[in-house]
Amino acid sequence: MQKHRAGPPAKGRVTLKTIAEVTGLSLSTVSLSLRGGTTLKQETRDKVAEAARSLGYVPDRAGVRLRTGKTNVIALVLESAGDSIDFARHMIKGIGQAISGTRYHLSIAPEFDNPGSVETIRYILDNRTADGVIITHTGPRDRRVQLLMDADFPFVSHGRTEFFTPHPYHDFHAEAFVAAAVDRLVAKGARKLLLVVGDDRTTNYHNIVTAYRRAVAGHGVDGRLFDQMPSRASAAEIRRIGEQLAQSDDRPDGIISDTETRTISLVGGLQDGGVRIGQDIQLVYKQTSDVLPTFFPHLDSVQEDVFAAGVELTNLLLRRIAGEPAENLQTLAEPVLHWRSGD
C-alpha cells in the first residue's frame, strides 16, 4: 500500500513541518534545502522549492535569525536619484532579479532628504537588520563606506571611493563616457566644449571632470566646465541656464551633459534661446532610460544600464557575504555608445 502524504493544514501558518509532510522528506532535509544546501541533489532542492512556493511558505525571520544569526535580508540604502529618470525603479528591478530564487529578500531605505547620512547604516549595524548592504551615490571619502569597513560588514557600493583599503564596488566607467563624448564632438567639428556636470560631492563628479580635462587637452580644444549649476537646481532653473547659454556671445559649440533630467531642461532652454541642437550646438548626454531617445531621437548618447548595475551589485554582495575577498569584487560597466546624428 502506498504511503499517504498529508496535505497542508486547512488553517494556520505553513511551516517546515508542513513542507516535510507534503514532500515526504525529513524536516532536516527541508530545512537544509531552504537554506541553499548545495550538498543536496538538485532534484530534491527543486522539489522543496516547488512545495514551498505552492504552499505559500514564508520563513520565520525571527527564528532564522536566532538559529543562524542571519536575516536573509539585503538592504538597499538609496540616495537621491533625481538626476536620472527611473533610476530607482531600474535598480530595484535588477536587484530583484538577482535575488530571485535565493533565500534573500530586499529592504529599501530611501535617503533622499539626507544624502550622505550615516544614520541608516548605524541602525543596520546596531540592530543587524540585514546580512549585507548596497549603497548608491558614493563620495570620495564616504562616511558610510568607512563605517561599514570599520565594522567589517558585507557591503557593495554603486560608485568608487578614494579609500586605500579595498572594498567591493560596481561603477559606471565615467572616464570612458567622457573620453568617447569628447572624441565624438571633436569629430563633428566642435572646438569650444562645455561640460555640464552635477553633484560635486560624488566620486563620479571628480572622475568625470578629471577625464574631461585630460580629453580636451589631448585634442587641443577649448574645454570649459559649467560649475555654476546648483546641485539641486530645479528644471526651471536649468532651462533658464540653457537659454542664457544660447544667447551668450561666447556660447559653446559642443556640450556634454552627465544626466538625463538636466539634458531635458538644458535642451529646452537652448531651444528657447533659438539654438538648433545638432546644428548650432552638438550635444552628447548620458542615457539611463529610453525616455530621451523618444523625444530627441537625433541626439547622441552614452548609455549606462542601471538594471544590469542592480544585478551586478547584488551578485557582488552575495559573493562578499559568502566570504570572497573585497579586492576580487570591483567591476566597471563599460558605456554603450549611441551615435544617432550625422556620421
Side-chain angles (χ1 to χ4, degrees):
M1 180 183 298
Q2 186 177 14
K3 182 179 177 180
H4 174 71
R5 291 181 180 174
K11 295 181 180 180
R13 185 174 180 275
V14 177
T15 65
L16 295 180
K17 184 178 179 181
T18 311
I19 299 173
E21 290 173 348
V22 169
T23 59
L25 299 170
S26 69
L27 192 61
S28 60
T29 298
V30 170
S31 177
L32 178 61
S33 180
L34 291 174
R35 285 185 283 116
T38 57
T39 58
L40 298 174
K41 293 180 180 179
Q42 187 62 47
E43 179 184 356
T44 300
R45 296 166 64 186
D46 291 344
K47 185 177 184 179
V48 172
E50 176 58 31
R53 279 194 297 270
S54 64
L55 293 170
Y57 171 71
V58 178
D60 180 355
R61 304 224 171 272
V64 169
R65 184 174 176 182
L66 285 173
R67 290 193 305 273
T68 67
K70 299 292 185 181
T71 64
N72 291 346
V73 170
I74 287 174
L76 169 63
V77 180
L78 187 64
E79 268 216 22
S80 175
D83 55 357
S84 299
I85 298 172
D86 264 358
F87 176 91
R89 183 173 69 89
H90 289 307
M91 176 66 68
I92 292 167
K93 284 183 66 177
I95 296 171
Q97 175 168 299
I99 61 176
S100 176
T102 74
R103 64 180 181 272
Y104 287 99
H105 292 253
L106 177 63
S107 171
I108 302 172
E111 288 277 305
F112 296 162
D113 297 325
N114 196 16
S117 168
V118 298
E119 296 310 309
T120 297
I121 299 300
R122 287 191 190 281
Y123 180 85
I124 293 170
L125 293 176
D126 291 345
N127 297 279
R128 285 299 191 265
T129 56
D131 295 338
V133 176
I134 298 171
I135 58 177
T136 66
H137 298 77
T138 52
R141 307 294 295 181
D142 199 295
R143 294 186 301 158
R144 300 167 301 166
V145 170
Q146 183 68 70
L147 196 61
L148 288 161
M149 288 195 299
D150 289 345
D152 195 24
F153 191 82
F155 78 98
V156 60
S157 63
H158 186 223
R160 287 164 279 177
T161 66
E162 294 179 353
F163 290 110
F164 177 77
T165 303
H167 66 81
Y169 67 73
H170 176 67
D171 197 9
F172 179 62
H173 197 172
E175 299 91 333
F177 150 58
V178 174
V182 171
D183 288 348
R184 176 64 170 171
L185 292 174
V186 171
K188 296 178 75 172
R191 293 296 180 270
K192 190 182 295 183
L193 275 52
L194 179 68
L195 173 65
V196 179
V197 62
D199 193 348
D200 63 2
R201 296 172 303 126
T202 65
T203 310
N204 183 67
Y205 171 92
H206 297 285
N207 290 340
I208 286 178
V209 170
T210 301
Y212 172 70
R213 288 171 172 158
R214 184 184 304 119
V216 295
H219 280 287
V221 296
D222 180 20
R224 290 176 288 164
L225 174 66
F226 192 86
D227 54 6
Q228 303 168 38
M229 183 80 71
S231 61
R232 294 180 178 272
S234 68
E237 288 174 318
I238 297 172
R239 189 169 187 131
R240 283 195 296 272
I241 290 169
E243 186 173 4
Q244 291 167 3
L245 281 173
Q247 297 171 350
S248 169
D249 293 335
D250 191 32
R251 77 182 184 195
D253 56 9
I255 295 177
I256 300 170
S257 175
D258 75 324
T259 66
E260 290 180 314
T261 53
R262 260 192 293 278
T263 299
I264 292 173
S265 300
L266 191 64
V267 168
L270 289 169
Q271 291 176 335
D272 290 344
V275 162
R276 296 168 297 173
I277 302 297
Q279 298 181 50
D280 302 321
I281 295 179
Q282 303 296 332
L283 187 143
V284 178
Y285 69 93
K286 181 183 173 185
Q287 176 186 344
T288 52
S289 76
D290 295 327
V291 173
L292 261 70
T294 302
F295 291 100
F296 306 113
H298 63 290
L299 292 185
D300 293 331
S301 69
V302 180
Q303 184 179 11
E304 175 185 11
D305 189 335
V306 179
F307 174 86
V311 173
E312 176 69 0
L313 286 163
T314 307
N315 290 334
L316 292 173
L317 180 57
L318 295 180
R319 288 164 60 186
R320 182 58 177 158
I321 291 172
E324 193 163 339
E327 55 266 26
N328 295 347
L329 306 173
Q330 300 176 332
T331 60
L332 291 177
E334 294 302 323
V336 179
L337 310 182
H338 297 290
W339 299 153
R340 300 184 175 92
S341 59
D343 297 332

